Amino acid sequence: MFGILSFKGQVLHSAYSSYLSTRQEIMESKMKVPNVSIPSSNEHREKRKRYTVYKVMVSVGRKEWFVLRRYAEFDKLYNTLKKQFPNMNLKLPAKRIFGDNFDPDFIRQRRAGLNEFIQRIVTDSQLCKFPDVREFLQMDNPRHFSDPSEDDEEKGDLQSSEVALLLYAFITEICLNSDELATEKLSDINAEVAEATAAECVLESSFQEV
């Protein structure tokens, strides 16, 4: 029983620490202007389709990740922003009707134009906060970290207790959707940790007396 309570306390402490770390990162990402660039592109093939994917690098504070986007996704974002902010001066490289869309010079020019487009967006506070922009850059849910060490950390997390992972995911979801509910949940966790710690002390004392 002593071991179970000890494990419970460790799980709760781990989840609590993870929550605080995630909470801080989310707040930082909402407060800071992201640094964005498009350093490269790659040609992809899917069945009979051939297309170019642009690597969009995003960094906020100490976090850096990348997002892979096709020109069509940039075009969709452009059209959405033009409807929502008709007075904004946004420019996107035009579609190419004739010629080779995979010509290296054309790809370089298009990548430069897309980079200017995304720079215009992130340097405008109103556009940068727009939900479609945050989703495009995966600001609230980065998936592909550029630092290889991030992958090692993720593998280590997968080897953790299922209880800790589920609790962490639940608390993170609360954090993203309700500050008030998150505060209430933290209070409950603190109570659980205190209860588990107190029970451990009692059991340890009894064990020593025996």
Side-chain angles (χ1 to χ4, degrees):
M1 184 175 181
F2 174 78
I4 293 176
L5 286 174
S6 177
F7 172 74
K8 179 182 178 183
Q10 291 174 5
V11 167
L12 292 172
H13 274 297
S14 176
Y16 179 74
S17 298
S18 298
Y19 166 81
L20 291 180
S21 177
T22 303
R23 173 70 171 170
Q24 182 178 359
E25 290 172 7
I26 292 171
M27 294 302 296
E28 287 180 354
S29 69
K30 290 183 178 180
M31 293 173 61
K32 294 182 179 179
V33 176
N35 292 316
V36 181
S37 63
I38 306 178
S40 62
S41 62
N42 289 295
E43 182 180 318
H44 282 231
R45 292 180 182 271
E46 185 177 329
K47 295 182 180 180
R48 295 184 179 180
K49 293 183 179 181
R50 180 185 176 198
Y51 56 90
T52 301
V53 171
Y54 297 89
K55 186 175 185 179
V56 183
M57 297 296 302
V58 186
S59 63
V60 178
R62 293 172 295 176
K63 288 289 184 181
E64 185 177 64
W65 63 94
F66 66 89
V67 185
L68 300 178
R69 297 295 185 191
R70 297 174 60 176
Y71 173 82
E73 294 177 286
F74 282 93
D75 186 55
K76 180 181 178 181
L77 178 64
Y78 169 79
N79 290 321
T80 298
L81 294 177
K82 287 297 291 183
K83 290 180 180 179
Q84 294 294 326
F85 308 96
N87 296 325
M88 288 289 182
N89 183 25
L90 296 175
K91 294 181 180 180
L92 189 73
K95 295 180 180 180
R96 189 175 192 177
I97 300 176
F98 302 103
D100 183 8
N101 284 337
F102 300 96
D103 176 70
D105 290 334
F106 170 74
I107 294 295
R108 280 194 293 270
Q109 292 177 7
R110 172 173 277 188
R111 179 165 59 86
L114 293 175
N115 188 64
E116 291 180 7
F117 167 69
I118 206 69
Q119 292 295 337
R120 172 70 178 88
I121 292 174
V122 298
T123 54
D124 186 284
S125 59
Q126 189 177 13
L127 293 176
C128 190
K129 295 176 183 178
F130 191 64
D132 290 60
V133 173
R134 297 188 66 85
E135 171 61 25
F136 184 87
L137 299 176
Q138 295 182 351
M139 291 288 293
D140 300 315
N141 186 31
R143 300 170 188 172
H144 305 291
F145 290 99
S146 60
D147 186 352
S149 63
E150 295 286 352
D151 297 331
D152 295 334
E153 292 176 6
E154 184 175 352
K155 291 179 181 177
D157 290 341
L158 291 175
Q159 297 173 353
S160 301
S161 158
E162 288 186 8
V163 178
L165 289 173
L166 289 172
L167 187 57
Y168 166 63
F170 176 62
I171 295 174
T172 301
E173 184 67 23
I174 292 173
C175 169
L176 291 171
N177 292 286
S178 173
D179 290 343
E180 182 178 352
L181 190 56
T183 302
E184 180 182 344
K185 180 54 64 176
L186 279 177
S187 178
D188 293 340
I189 289 177
N190 280 327
E192 289 285 346
V193 171
E195 180 183 349
T197 303
E200 281 187 32
C201 292
V202 172
L203 284 176
E204 185 176 359
S205 177
S206 300
F207 179 76
Q208 290 176 351
E209 289 179 1
V210 174

Coordinates of all heavy atoms in Angstrom, one line a residue, residues 52-54 69-76 92-96 110 114:
T52 N 4.5 20.5 -54.5 CA 5.5 21.0 -53.7 C 5.0 21.4 -52.3 O 4.0 21.9 -52.1 CB 6.1 22.3 -54.4 OG1 6.6 22.0 -55.7 CG2 7.2 22.9 -53.5
V53 N 5.8 21.0 -51.3 CA 5.5 21.3 -49.9 C 6.6 22.3 -49.4 O 7.8 22.1 -49.6 CB 5.5 20.0 -49.0 CG1 5.4 20.4 -47.6 CG2 4.3 19.1 -49.4
Y54 N 6.1 23.3 -48.7 CA 7.0 24.3 -48.2 C 7.1 24.2 -46.6 O 6.1 23.9 -46.0 CB 6.5 25.8 -48.5 CG 6.4 26.0 -50.0 CD1 5.3 25.7 -50.7 CD2 7.5 26.6 -50.6 CE1 5.2 25.9 -52.1 CE2 7.5 26.8 -52.0 CZ 6.3 26.5 -52.7 OH 6.3 26.7 -54.1
R69 N 3.3 23.0 -45.5 CA 2.1 23.5 -46.1 C 2.3 23.6 -47.7 O 3.4 23.9 -48.2 CB 1.8 25.0 -45.6 CG 1.5 25.1 -44.2 CD 0.3 24.3 -43.8 NE -0.1 24.5 -42.4 CZ -1.1 23.8 -41.8 NH1 -1.8 22.9 -42.5 NH2 -1.4 24.1 -40.5
R70 N 1.2 23.3 -48.4 CA 1.2 23.4 -49.8 C 0.8 24.8 -50.2 O 0.2 25.5 -49.4 CB 0.3 22.3 -50.4 CG 0.7 20.9 -50.1 CD -0.3 19.9 -50.6 NE -0.6 20.0 -52.1 CZ -1.4 19.2 -52.8 NH1 -2.0 18.2 -52.1 NH2 -1.5 19.4 -54.0
Y71 N 1.0 25.2 -51.4 CA 0.6 26.5 -51.9 C -0.9 26.7 -51.8 O -1.4 27.8 -51.4 CB 1.0 26.7 -53.4 CG 0.5 27.9 -54.0 CD1 1.1 29.2 -53.8 CD2 -0.7 27.9 -54.7 CE1 0.6 30.3 -54.3 CE2 -1.2 29.1 -55.3 CZ -0.6 30.3 -55.1 OH -1.1 31.5 -55.6
A72 N -1.7 25.6 -52.0 CA -3.1 25.7 -51.9 C -3.6 26.1 -50.5 O -4.6 26.8 -50.4 CB -3.7 24.3 -52.3
E73 N -2.8 25.7 -49.5 CA -3.1 26.0 -48.1 C -2.9 27.5 -47.8 O -3.6 28.1 -47.1 CB -2.4 25.1 -47.1 CG -2.8 23.7 -47.2 CD -2.0 22.8 -46.3 OE1 -0.8 22.5 -46.7 OE2 -2.5 22.3 -45.3
F74 N -1.8 28.0 -48.4 CA -1.5 29.4 -48.3 C -2.6 30.2 -49.0 O -3.1 31.2 -48.5 CB -0.1 29.8 -49.0 CG 1.1 29.4 -48.2 CD1 1.7 28.2 -48.3 CD2 1.6 30.3 -47.2 CE1 2.8 27.9 -47.6 CE2 2.7 30.1 -46.5 CZ 3.3 28.8 -46.6
D75 N -3.0 29.7 -50.2 CA -4.1 30.4 -50.9 C -5.4 30.4 -50.2 O -6.1 31.4 -50.2 CB -4.2 29.7 -52.3 CG -5.2 30.4 -53.2 OD1 -5.0 31.6 -53.5 OD2 -6.2 29.8 -53.6
K76 N -5.7 29.3 -49.5 CA -6.9 29.3 -48.7 C -6.9 30.3 -47.5 O -7.9 31.0 -47.3 CB -7.1 27.9 -48.1 CG -8.4 27.7 -47.3 CD -8.5 26.2 -46.8 CE -9.7 26.1 -45.9 NZ -9.8 24.7 -45.4
L92 N -0.1 37.6 -52.3 CA 0.3 36.2 -52.4 C 0.8 36.0 -53.8 O 0.2 36.5 -54.7 CB -0.9 35.3 -52.1 CG -0.6 33.8 -51.9 CD1 0.1 33.5 -50.6 CD2 -1.9 33.0 -52.0
P93 N 1.8 35.2 -53.9 CA 2.3 34.9 -55.3 C 1.2 34.3 -56.2 O 0.4 33.4 -55.7 CB 3.4 33.9 -55.1 CG 3.9 34.1 -53.7 CD 2.7 34.6 -52.9
A94 N 1.0 34.8 -57.3 CA -0.1 34.4 -58.2 C 0.1 32.9 -58.6 O 1.2 32.4 -58.7 CB -0.2 35.3 -59.4
K95 N -1.0 32.3 -58.9 CA -1.0 30.9 -59.5 C -0.4 31.0 -60.9 O -0.6 31.9 -61.6 CB -2.4 30.3 -59.5 CG -3.0 30.1 -58.2 CD -4.4 29.6 -58.3 CE -5.1 29.4 -56.9 NZ -6.4 28.8 -57.0
R96 N 0.3 29.9 -61.2 CA 0.9 29.8 -62.5 C 0.0 28.9 -63.4 O -0.1 27.7 -63.1 CB 2.3 29.2 -62.4 CG 3.1 29.3 -63.7 CD 4.5 28.9 -63.5 NE 5.4 29.2 -64.6 CZ 6.7 28.9 -64.6 NH1 7.3 28.4 -63.6 NH2 7.4 29.3 -65.7
R110 N 8.5 31.7 -55.7 CA 7.3 31.5 -55.0 C 7.5 31.4 -53.5 O 6.8 31.9 -52.7 CB 6.6 30.2 -55.5 CG 5.3 29.8 -54.7 CD 4.6 28.7 -55.3 NE 3.6 29.1 -56.3 CZ 2.7 28.4 -56.9 NH1 2.6 27.1 -56.6 NH2 1.9 28.9 -57.8
L114 N 5.9 33.7 -50.7 CA 5.1 33.1 -49.6 C 5.7 33.6 -48.2 O 5.0 33.8 -47.3 CB 5.1 31.6 -49.6 CG 4.3 31.0 -50.8 CD1 4.5 29.5 -50.8 CD2 2.9 31.3 -50.8

